Amino acid sequence: MGIIGVNIFIMSLYNDNMSEDLENFLNVSNYVFIGIYTVEFILKILGLSPKLYFSNNWNKFDFIVLVLSYVTLLDLSILFFNATILRALRMLRVFRVVKVMSGVQRLLKTLQ
């Protein structure tokens, strides 16, 4: 959950008048987050099996965002979509965090 929050914060730094240093930082950060999400995908596939992994809609969403992230790395984004759209899709992961947090809140209420 923390990774998603940091990713969203860093993506919010994109703007039209970025310095070259900020642009380089954001590019490197993008690679790091794609790597983190790739490791998450691999671990989930190995732990759950592909069938169980893809039976969850959030996992399907994460997989699509991950594939689209690799498309932007290959600079094929012109063929399919704009990188800004990908950033918006990544920000939708916040809803997953909210869902998890509501589950944690229910668990804590149960323990009281």
Side-chain angles (χ1 to χ4, degrees), residues 17-106:
N17 301 319
M18 291 187 293
S19 69
E20 188 175 327
D21 290 339
L22 179 58
E23 191 171 346
N24 290 336
F25 169 74
L26 294 174
N27 286 333
V28 169
S29 298
N30 187 41
Y31 295 134
V32 169
F33 285 112
I34 289 172
I36 291 169
Y37 294 134
T38 300
V39 169
E40 176 193 29
F41 166 74
I42 291 168
L43 291 175
K44 281 185 164 184
I45 284 287
L46 292 174
L48 296 174
S49 81
K51 183 178 180 180
L52 188 56
Y53 176 84
F54 287 108
S55 68
N56 180 291
N57 288 331
W58 281 113
N59 288 340
K60 290 176 191 174
F61 173 77
D62 284 343
F63 177 73
I64 290 168
V65 171
L66 184 62
V67 168
L68 294 177
S69 297
Y70 278 103
V71 169
T72 61
L73 289 182
L74 298 172
D75 204 21
L76 299 174
S77 57
I78 298 169
L79 301 174
F80 301 107
F81 60 92
N82 188 312
T84 304
I85 295 170
L86 176 63
R87 285 192 287 273
L89 286 174
R90 280 188 181 169
M91 287 189 184
L92 288 176
R93 288 181 170 165
V94 169
F95 294 114
R96 182 181 210 175
V97 172
V98 170
K99 181 181 176 187
V100 169
M101 291 305 294
S102 66
V104 170
Q105 288 175 350
R106 276 185 270 147

